[in-house]
Amino acid sequence: EGLGSFFVARVLFIVGFLVGGQESASLIAGAVFVVVVLSAAAAPIISGVRRNEPKLAVPVVAYFLVIGVMIATAIGSGNALAGVGAVVFAISDAMIGWSRFVKPFAASSVALMVTYHAAPLCLVLSLLP
């Protein structure tokens, strides 16, 4: 349920970023960022999912892929706040995955709430002219 609704929300962000237009150099930079940073962050989480809840492995991998596309297209939009918002959403989502599938950490609830609210704020502010 939750993973599916968040997946749809990320797809809608992607559509919005694509409709707003993409700058080739920024899109390439976003894609490189995703490959280097997000793949490194996702690896231990995906490993933990495969070990602890193997039925969720495919949905979690799909979710990371859509997060990656969201980041790349947000950065590709050329709007710095959109890029920051997308990256902060990914950080928030990664903290959820890390806490659930790798190892809970003490400050996760506070850090999660801060990032979870900061991300949409950045995305909304990115829409201002």
Short mmCIF file of all heavy atoms in Angstrom, two decimals, residues 56-124:
data_model
loop_
_atom_site.label_atom_id
_atom_site.label_comp_id
_atom_site.label_asym_id
_atom_site.label_seq_id
_atom_site.Cartn_x
_atom_site.Cartn_y
_atom_site.Cartn_z
N LEU A 56 9.59 -8.50 -1.15
CA LEU A 56 9.59 -7.05 -1.43
C LEU A 56 10.76 -6.61 -2.31
O LEU A 56 10.83 -5.43 -2.66
CB LEU A 56 9.63 -6.27 -0.11
CG LEU A 56 8.39 -6.36 0.77
CD1 LEU A 56 8.61 -5.56 2.05
CD2 LEU A 56 7.17 -5.84 0.03
N ALA A 57 11.64 -7.51 -2.68
CA ALA A 57 12.84 -7.13 -3.42
C ALA A 57 12.51 -6.44 -4.74
O ALA A 57 13.04 -5.37 -5.03
CB ALA A 57 13.74 -8.35 -3.66
N VAL A 58 11.63 -7.00 -5.54
CA VAL A 58 11.30 -6.40 -6.83
C VAL A 58 10.63 -5.04 -6.66
O VAL A 58 11.03 -4.06 -7.30
CB VAL A 58 10.47 -7.37 -7.70
CG1 VAL A 58 9.94 -6.66 -8.95
CG2 VAL A 58 11.31 -8.58 -8.09
N PRO A 59 9.61 -4.92 -5.79
CA PRO A 59 9.01 -3.60 -5.60
C PRO A 59 9.99 -2.55 -5.07
O PRO A 59 9.96 -1.39 -5.49
CB PRO A 59 7.88 -3.83 -4.59
CG PRO A 59 7.57 -5.28 -4.67
CD PRO A 59 8.85 -5.95 -5.06
N VAL A 60 10.90 -2.94 -4.19
CA VAL A 60 11.86 -1.98 -3.64
C VAL A 60 12.85 -1.56 -4.73
O VAL A 60 13.18 -0.37 -4.84
CB VAL A 60 12.57 -2.55 -2.39
CG1 VAL A 60 13.76 -1.69 -1.99
CG2 VAL A 60 11.58 -2.66 -1.24
N VAL A 61 13.31 -2.49 -5.54
CA VAL A 61 14.21 -2.13 -6.64
C VAL A 61 13.50 -1.19 -7.61
O VAL A 61 14.05 -0.17 -8.05
CB VAL A 61 14.74 -3.39 -7.36
CG1 VAL A 61 15.44 -3.02 -8.66
CG2 VAL A 61 15.69 -4.16 -6.44
N ALA A 62 12.24 -1.50 -7.94
CA ALA A 62 11.46 -0.63 -8.83
C ALA A 62 11.31 0.76 -8.22
O ALA A 62 11.40 1.78 -8.92
CB ALA A 62 10.10 -1.24 -9.12
N TYR A 63 11.09 0.81 -6.92
CA TYR A 63 10.93 2.08 -6.24
C TYR A 63 12.23 2.90 -6.31
O TYR A 63 12.19 4.10 -6.58
CB TYR A 63 10.51 1.85 -4.78
CG TYR A 63 10.14 3.11 -4.07
CD1 TYR A 63 8.99 3.80 -4.41
CD2 TYR A 63 10.95 3.63 -3.07
CE1 TYR A 63 8.65 4.98 -3.76
CE2 TYR A 63 10.61 4.79 -2.41
CZ TYR A 63 9.46 5.46 -2.76
OH TYR A 63 9.13 6.63 -2.13
N PHE A 64 13.37 2.24 -6.08
CA PHE A 64 14.64 2.96 -6.20
C PHE A 64 14.86 3.46 -7.62
O PHE A 64 15.39 4.56 -7.82
CB PHE A 64 15.82 2.10 -5.75
CG PHE A 64 16.13 2.25 -4.29
CD1 PHE A 64 15.87 1.23 -3.40
CD2 PHE A 64 16.68 3.42 -3.80
CE1 PHE A 64 16.15 1.36 -2.04
CE2 PHE A 64 16.96 3.58 -2.45
CZ PHE A 64 16.69 2.54 -1.57
N LEU A 65 14.45 2.68 -8.60
CA LEU A 65 14.59 3.13 -9.99
C LEU A 65 13.77 4.39 -10.24
O LEU A 65 14.24 5.34 -10.87
CB LEU A 65 14.20 2.02 -10.96
CG LEU A 65 15.16 0.84 -11.03
CD1 LEU A 65 14.57 -0.28 -11.89
CD2 LEU A 65 16.51 1.27 -11.55
N VAL A 66 12.54 4.40 -9.75
CA VAL A 66 11.68 5.57 -9.98
C VAL A 66 12.20 6.78 -9.20
O VAL A 66 12.13 7.90 -9.68
CB VAL A 66 10.19 5.27 -9.69
CG1 VAL A 66 9.85 5.33 -8.22
CG2 VAL A 66 9.30 6.21 -10.46
N ILE A 67 12.77 6.55 -8.02
CA ILE A 67 13.38 7.66 -7.28
C ILE A 67 14.55 8.22 -8.08
O ILE A 67 14.74 9.44 -8.17
CB ILE A 67 13.86 7.21 -5.88
CG1 ILE A 67 12.68 6.92 -4.96
CG2 ILE A 67 14.75 8.28 -5.24
CD1 ILE A 67 13.08 6.26 -3.65
N GLY A 68 15.34 7.33 -8.66
CA GLY A 68 16.47 7.78 -9.47
C GLY A 68 16.04 8.62 -10.66
O GLY A 68 16.62 9.68 -10.94
N VAL A 69 14.99 8.18 -11.34
CA VAL A 69 14.48 8.96 -12.47
C VAL A 69 13.93 10.30 -11.99
O VAL A 69 14.11 11.33 -12.63
CB VAL A 69 13.43 8.16 -13.27
CG1 VAL A 69 12.79 9.01 -14.36
CG2 VAL A 69 14.06 6.91 -13.88
N MET A 70 13.27 10.29 -10.83
CA MET A 70 12.74 11.54 -10.28
C MET A 70 13.87 12.52 -10.00
O MET A 70 13.78 13.70 -10.33
CB MET A 70 11.94 11.28 -9.00
CG MET A 70 11.34 12.54 -8.39
SD MET A 70 10.59 12.30 -6.77
CE MET A 70 12.02 12.12 -5.72
N ILE A 71 14.95 12.04 -9.40
CA ILE A 71 16.09 12.92 -9.11
C ILE A 71 16.68 13.46 -10.40
O ILE A 71 16.93 14.66 -10.53
CB ILE A 71 17.16 12.19 -8.28
CG1 ILE A 71 16.65 11.88 -6.87
CG2 ILE A 71 18.45 13.01 -8.20
CD1 ILE A 71 17.54 10.96 -6.08
N ALA A 72 16.93 12.57 -11.36
CA ALA A 72 17.55 12.99 -12.62
C ALA A 72 16.69 14.02 -13.34
O ALA A 72 17.21 15.03 -13.83
CB ALA A 72 17.80 11.78 -13.51
N THR A 73 15.37 13.81 -13.38
CA THR A 73 14.51 14.76 -14.09
C THR A 73 14.33 16.06 -13.30
O THR A 73 14.18 17.12 -13.90
CB THR A 73 13.14 14.15 -14.43
OG1 THR A 73 12.50 13.67 -13.24
CG2 THR A 73 13.28 13.01 -15.43
N ALA A 74 14.37 15.98 -11.97
CA ALA A 74 14.31 17.20 -11.17
C ALA A 74 15.55 18.05 -11.41
O ALA A 74 15.46 19.26 -11.64
CB ALA A 74 14.17 16.87 -9.69
N ILE A 75 16.71 17.42 -11.39
CA ILE A 75 17.94 18.15 -11.68
C ILE A 75 17.93 18.60 -13.14
O ILE A 75 18.32 19.73 -13.45
CB ILE A 75 19.17 17.28 -11.35
CG1 ILE A 75 19.24 17.04 -9.84
CG2 ILE A 75 20.46 17.93 -11.86
CD1 ILE A 75 20.28 16.01 -9.40
N GLY A 76 17.43 17.75 -14.02
CA GLY A 76 17.34 18.09 -15.43
C GLY A 76 16.43 19.26 -15.73
O GLY A 76 16.57 19.92 -16.76
N SER A 77 15.52 19.56 -14.81
CA SER A 77 14.63 20.71 -15.00
C SER A 77 15.39 22.02 -14.93
O SER A 77 14.89 23.06 -15.38
CB SER A 77 13.51 20.71 -13.94
OG SER A 77 14.02 21.09 -12.67
N GLY A 78 16.58 21.98 -14.36
CA GLY A 78 17.37 23.20 -14.21
C GLY A 78 16.94 24.06 -13.03
O GLY A 78 17.51 25.12 -12.80
N ASN A 79 15.98 23.59 -12.28
CA ASN A 79 15.48 24.32 -11.12
C ASN A 79 16.17 23.76 -9.87
O ASN A 79 15.93 22.61 -9.50
CB ASN A 79 13.96 24.18 -11.03
CG ASN A 79 13.35 25.01 -9.92
OD1 ASN A 79 13.84 25.03 -8.80
ND2 ASN A 79 12.27 25.70 -10.24
N ALA A 80 17.02 24.55 -9.24
CA ALA A 80 17.80 24.08 -8.10
C ALA A 80 16.92 23.58 -6.96
O ALA A 80 17.22 22.54 -6.36
CB ALA A 80 18.72 25.19 -7.60
N LEU A 81 15.83 24.28 -6.67
CA LEU A 81 14.95 23.84 -5.58
C LEU A 81 14.28 22.50 -5.89
O LEU A 81 14.09 21.68 -5.00
CB LEU A 81 13.89 24.89 -5.26
CG LEU A 81 14.33 26.00 -4.33
CD1 LEU A 81 13.24 27.07 -4.21
CD2 LEU A 81 14.69 25.46 -2.96
N ALA A 82 13.94 22.28 -7.15
CA ALA A 82 13.36 20.99 -7.53
C ALA A 82 14.39 19.89 -7.31
O ALA A 82 14.07 18.82 -6.78
CB ALA A 82 12.89 21.02 -8.98
N GLY A 83 15.63 20.14 -7.72
CA GLY A 83 16.69 19.16 -7.51
C GLY A 83 16.93 18.86 -6.05
O GLY A 83 17.02 17.70 -5.64
N VAL A 84 16.98 19.91 -5.24
CA VAL A 84 17.17 19.72 -3.80
C VAL A 84 15.99 18.95 -3.22
O VAL A 84 16.18 18.01 -2.43
CB VAL A 84 17.35 21.08 -3.09
CG1 VAL A 84 17.27 20.93 -1.58
CG2 VAL A 84 18.68 21.71 -3.49
N GLY A 85 14.77 19.32 -3.59
CA GLY A 85 13.59 18.62 -3.07
C GLY A 85 13.60 17.15 -3.41
O GLY A 85 13.29 16.30 -2.56
N ALA A 86 13.96 16.82 -4.64
CA ALA A 86 14.00 15.41 -5.05
C ALA A 86 15.08 14.64 -4.30
O ALA A 86 14.85 13.51 -3.84
CB ALA A 86 14.23 15.31 -6.56
N VAL A 87 16.25 15.25 -4.14
CA VAL A 87 17.33 14.58 -3.40
C VAL A 87 16.94 14.40 -1.94
O VAL A 87 17.17 13.33 -1.36
CB VAL A 87 18.66 15.37 -3.54
CG1 VAL A 87 19.70 14.86 -2.56
CG2 VAL A 87 19.16 15.29 -4.97
N VAL A 88 16.31 15.40 -1.35
CA VAL A 88 15.90 15.28 0.06
C VAL A 88 14.81 14.21 0.21
O VAL A 88 14.80 13.46 1.19
CB VAL A 88 15.45 16.65 0.62
CG1 VAL A 88 14.84 16.51 2.00
CG2 VAL A 88 16.64 17.60 0.68
N PHE A 89 13.90 14.10 -0.77
CA PHE A 89 12.92 13.01 -0.74
C PHE A 89 13.63 11.66 -0.77
O PHE A 89 13.27 10.74 -0.05
CB PHE A 89 11.95 13.09 -1.93
CG PHE A 89 10.56 13.49 -1.55
CD1 PHE A 89 9.89 14.44 -2.28
CD2 PHE A 89 9.90 12.91 -0.48
CE1 PHE A 89 8.60 14.83 -1.95
CE2 PHE A 89 8.61 13.28 -0.13
CZ PHE A 89 7.97 14.25 -0.87
N ALA A 90 14.64 11.54 -1.62
CA ALA A 90 15.39 10.29 -1.70
C ALA A 90 16.08 9.98 -0.38
O ALA A 90 16.13 8.82 0.06
CB ALA A 90 16.40 10.35 -2.84
N ILE A 91 16.63 11.01 0.27
CA ILE A 91 17.26 10.81 1.58
C ILE A 91 16.23 10.31 2.58
O ILE A 91 16.48 9.36 3.33
CB ILE A 91 17.94 12.11 2.06
CG1 ILE A 91 19.15 12.43 1.18
CG2 ILE A 91 18.34 12.01 3.54
CD1 ILE A 91 19.71 13.83 1.38
N SER A 92 15.07 10.93 2.58
CA SER A 92 14.00 10.52 3.48
C SER A 92 13.61 9.06 3.22
O SER A 92 13.51 8.25 4.15
CB SER A 92 12.79 11.44 3.29
OG SER A 92 11.69 11.01 4.04
N ASP A 93 13.40 8.73 1.96
CA ASP A 93 13.02 7.35 1.61
C ASP A 93 14.13 6.37 1.96
O ASP A 93 13.85 5.26 2.43
CB ASP A 93 12.69 7.26 0.12
CG ASP A 93 11.41 8.00 -0.26
OD1 ASP A 93 10.60 8.28 0.65
OD2 ASP A 93 11.22 8.28 -1.45
N ALA A 94 15.37 6.75 1.74
CA ALA A 94 16.50 5.87 2.07
C ALA A 94 16.58 5.63 3.57
O ALA A 94 16.90 4.52 4.01
CB ALA A 94 17.80 6.46 1.55
N MET A 95 16.28 6.67 4.36
CA MET A 95 16.29 6.48 5.82
C MET A 95 15.22 5.48 6.25
O MET A 95 15.46 4.67 7.15
CB MET A 95 16.11 7.81 6.55
CG MET A 95 17.35 8.64 6.56
SD MET A 95 17.27 10.05 7.69
CE MET A 95 16.10 11.10 6.84
N ILE A 96 14.07 5.53 5.61
CA ILE A 96 13.02 4.55 5.91
C ILE A 96 13.53 3.15 5.59
O ILE A 96 13.41 2.23 6.40
CB ILE A 96 11.73 4.86 5.12
CG1 ILE A 96 11.10 6.16 5.61
CG2 ILE A 96 10.74 3.70 5.26
CD1 ILE A 96 9.96 6.66 4.73
N GLY A 97 14.09 3.00 4.39
CA GLY A 97 14.60 1.69 3.99
C GLY A 97 15.72 1.20 4.88
O GLY A 97 15.77 0.03 5.26
N TRP A 98 16.64 2.11 5.21
CA TRP A 98 17.77 1.73 6.07
C TRP A 98 17.27 1.27 7.44
O TRP A 98 17.68 0.23 7.95
CB TRP A 98 18.73 2.91 6.22
CG TRP A 98 20.01 2.51 6.87
CD1 TRP A 98 20.27 2.43 8.20
CD2 TRP A 98 21.20 2.09 6.20
NE1 TRP A 98 21.56 2.01 8.41
CE2 TRP A 98 22.15 1.79 7.19
CE3 TRP A 98 21.55 1.95 4.86
CZ2 TRP A 98 23.42 1.35 6.88
CZ3 TRP A 98 22.83 1.52 4.57
CH2 TRP A 98 23.75 1.23 5.57
N SER A 99 16.36 2.07 8.03
CA SER A 99 15.85 1.74 9.36
C SER A 99 15.07 0.42 9.37
O SER A 99 15.11 -0.32 10.35
CB SER A 99 14.95 2.85 9.88
OG SER A 99 15.69 4.01 10.10
N ARG A 100 14.38 0.15 8.28
CA ARG A 100 13.55 -1.06 8.24
C ARG A 100 14.34 -2.30 7.84
O ARG A 100 14.10 -3.38 8.38
CB ARG A 100 12.39 -0.85 7.27
CG ARG A 100 11.50 -2.05 7.19
CD ARG A 100 10.23 -1.78 6.49
NE ARG A 100 9.47 -3.02 6.38
CZ ARG A 100 8.40 -3.18 5.65
NH1 ARG A 100 7.93 -2.16 4.98
NH2 ARG A 100 7.78 -4.33 5.59
N PHE A 101 15.27 -2.17 6.89
CA PHE A 101 15.89 -3.36 6.32
C PHE A 101 17.36 -3.54 6.65
O PHE A 101 17.90 -4.62 6.43
CB PHE A 101 15.72 -3.35 4.79
CG PHE A 101 14.29 -3.35 4.36
CD1 PHE A 101 13.76 -2.25 3.71
CD2 PHE A 101 13.47 -4.43 4.61
CE1 PHE A 101 12.44 -2.23 3.29
CE2 PHE A 101 12.14 -4.43 4.21
CZ PHE A 101 11.63 -3.33 3.55
N VAL A 102 18.03 -2.50 7.14
CA VAL A 102 19.46 -2.64 7.45
C VAL A 102 19.66 -2.58 8.96
O VAL A 102 19.98 -3.57 9.58
CB VAL A 102 20.31 -1.56 6.73
CG1 VAL A 102 21.79 -1.70 7.08
CG2 VAL A 102 20.10 -1.62 5.23
N LYS A 103 19.46 -1.40 9.54
CA LYS A 103 19.65 -1.25 10.99
C LYS A 103 19.00 0.05 11.43
O LYS A 103 19.33 1.12 10.91
CB LYS A 103 21.14 -1.23 11.32
CG LYS A 103 21.43 -1.14 12.80
CD LYS A 103 22.91 -1.12 13.07
CE LYS A 103 23.13 -1.00 14.57
NZ LYS A 103 24.53 -0.75 14.89
N PRO A 104 18.09 -0.02 12.40
CA PRO A 104 17.51 1.22 12.92
C PRO A 104 18.59 2.10 13.54
O PRO A 104 19.57 1.61 14.07
CB PRO A 104 16.53 0.74 14.00
CG PRO A 104 16.31 -0.71 13.72
CD PRO A 104 17.57 -1.21 13.05
N PHE A 105 18.41 3.41 13.41
CA PHE A 105 19.35 4.32 14.05
C PHE A 105 18.57 5.32 14.89
O PHE A 105 17.43 5.65 14.60
CB PHE A 105 20.29 4.99 13.05
CG PHE A 105 19.62 5.77 11.95
CD1 PHE A 105 19.50 7.15 12.02
CD2 PHE A 105 19.12 5.12 10.83
CE1 PHE A 105 18.89 7.86 11.00
CE2 PHE A 105 18.52 5.82 9.81
CZ PHE A 105 18.40 7.20 9.89
N ALA A 106 19.20 5.78 15.95
CA ALA A 106 18.54 6.55 17.01
C ALA A 106 17.81 7.79 16.50
O ALA A 106 16.69 8.06 16.92
CB ALA A 106 19.54 6.93 18.09
N ALA A 107 18.42 8.55 15.64
CA ALA A 107 17.83 9.83 15.22
C ALA A 107 16.92 9.69 14.00
O ALA A 107 16.48 10.69 13.45
CB ALA A 107 18.94 10.83 14.92
N SER A 108 16.60 8.47 13.62
CA SER A 108 15.86 8.29 12.37
C SER A 108 14.48 8.95 12.39
O SER A 108 14.08 9.53 11.37
CB SER A 108 15.71 6.80 12.04
OG SER A 108 14.92 6.13 12.98
N SER A 109 13.77 8.91 13.49
CA SER A 109 12.42 9.48 13.49
C SER A 109 12.45 11.00 13.30
O SER A 109 11.67 11.56 12.54
CB SER A 109 11.65 9.11 14.76
OG SER A 109 12.32 9.58 15.90
N VAL A 110 13.38 11.67 13.96
CA VAL A 110 13.49 13.12 13.81
C VAL A 110 14.00 13.48 12.42
O VAL A 110 13.44 14.33 11.72
CB VAL A 110 14.41 13.73 14.90
CG1 VAL A 110 14.68 15.19 14.62
CG2 VAL A 110 13.79 13.54 16.27
N ALA A 111 15.06 12.80 11.99
CA ALA A 111 15.63 13.07 10.67
C ALA A 111 14.62 12.79 9.57
O ALA A 111 14.52 13.54 8.59
CB ALA A 111 16.89 12.24 10.47
N LEU A 112 13.86 11.73 9.74
CA LEU A 112 12.84 11.39 8.75
C LEU A 112 11.77 12.48 8.65
O LEU A 112 11.39 12.90 7.55
CB LEU A 112 12.20 10.05 9.10
CG LEU A 112 11.10 9.58 8.18
CD1 LEU A 112 11.63 9.38 6.76
CD2 LEU A 112 10.49 8.30 8.70
N MET A 113 11.30 12.97 9.77
CA MET A 113 10.28 14.01 9.75
C MET A 113 10.80 15.31 9.14
O MET A 113 10.11 15.97 8.37
CB MET A 113 9.74 14.27 11.15
CG MET A 113 8.80 13.20 11.66
SD MET A 113 7.32 13.07 10.63
CE MET A 113 7.60 11.51 9.82
N VAL A 114 12.03 15.67 9.46
CA VAL A 114 12.61 16.89 8.90
C VAL A 114 12.72 16.77 7.39
O VAL A 114 12.28 17.66 6.65
CB VAL A 114 13.98 17.20 9.55
CG1 VAL A 114 14.70 18.31 8.80
CG2 VAL A 114 13.80 17.58 11.02
N THR A 115 13.29 15.68 6.91
CA THR A 115 13.46 15.53 5.46
C THR A 115 12.13 15.34 4.76
O THR A 115 11.93 15.86 3.65
CB THR A 115 14.41 14.36 5.13
OG1 THR A 115 13.91 13.16 5.74
CG2 THR A 115 15.82 14.64 5.61
N TYR A 116 11.22 14.62 5.38
CA TYR A 116 9.92 14.35 4.76
C TYR A 116 9.13 15.64 4.55
O TYR A 116 8.36 15.76 3.61
CB TYR A 116 9.13 13.36 5.63
CG TYR A 116 7.84 12.92 5.00
CD1 TYR A 116 7.83 11.98 3.98
CD2 TYR A 116 6.62 13.46 5.40
CE1 TYR A 116 6.64 11.57 3.38
CE2 TYR A 116 5.43 13.06 4.81
CZ TYR A 116 5.45 12.11 3.81
OH TYR A 116 4.27 11.72 3.23
N HIS A 117 9.30 16.60 5.44
CA HIS A 117 8.60 17.88 5.29
C HIS A 117 9.40 18.89 4.48
O HIS A 117 8.82 19.73 3.78
CB HIS A 117 8.24 18.45 6.67
CG HIS A 117 7.15 17.66 7.33
ND1 HIS A 117 7.42 16.58 8.13
CD2 HIS A 117 5.81 17.76 7.27
CE1 HIS A 117 6.27 16.06 8.54
NE2 HIS A 117 5.29 16.75 8.04
N ALA A 118 10.71 18.84 4.54
CA ALA A 118 11.54 19.76 3.77
C ALA A 118 11.45 19.48 2.27
O ALA A 118 11.45 20.41 1.46
CB ALA A 118 12.99 19.68 4.23
N ALA A 119 11.35 18.22 1.90
CA ALA A 119 11.32 17.86 0.48
C ALA A 119 10.13 18.48 -0.26
O ALA A 119 10.32 19.17 -1.27
CB ALA A 119 11.34 16.35 0.32
N PRO A 120 8.90 18.26 0.19
CA PRO A 120 7.79 18.87 -0.55
C PRO A 120 7.80 20.39 -0.47
O PRO A 120 7.36 21.07 -1.40
CB PRO A 120 6.53 18.29 0.09
CG PRO A 120 6.95 17.70 1.37
CD PRO A 120 8.41 17.40 1.27
N LEU A 121 8.34 20.95 0.62
CA LEU A 121 8.45 22.41 0.71
C LEU A 121 9.35 22.92 -0.42
O LEU A 121 9.00 23.87 -1.12
CB LEU A 121 9.02 22.82 2.07
CG LEU A 121 9.27 24.32 2.25
CD1 LEU A 121 7.96 25.10 2.15
CD2 LEU A 121 9.94 24.57 3.59
N CYS A 122 10.49 22.28 -0.61
CA CYS A 122 11.38 22.67 -1.72
C CYS A 122 10.68 22.51 -3.06
O CYS A 122 10.80 23.38 -3.94
CB CYS A 122 12.66 21.83 -1.70
SG CYS A 122 13.78 22.22 -0.35
N LEU A 123 9.95 21.41 -3.24
CA LEU A 123 9.28 21.17 -4.51
C LEU A 123 8.19 22.21 -4.76
O LEU A 123 8.05 22.71 -5.88
CB LEU A 123 8.72 19.76 -4.57
CG LEU A 123 9.78 18.66 -4.62
CD1 LEU A 123 9.16 17.29 -4.43
CD2 LEU A 123 10.56 18.73 -5.92
N VAL A 124 7.45 22.55 -3.74
CA VAL A 124 6.41 23.59 -3.91
C VAL A 124 7.05 24.94 -4.21
O VAL A 124 6.62 25.66 -5.12
CB VAL A 124 5.50 23.67 -2.65
CG1 VAL A 124 4.62 24.91 -2.69
CG2 VAL A 124 4.64 22.42 -2.55
#
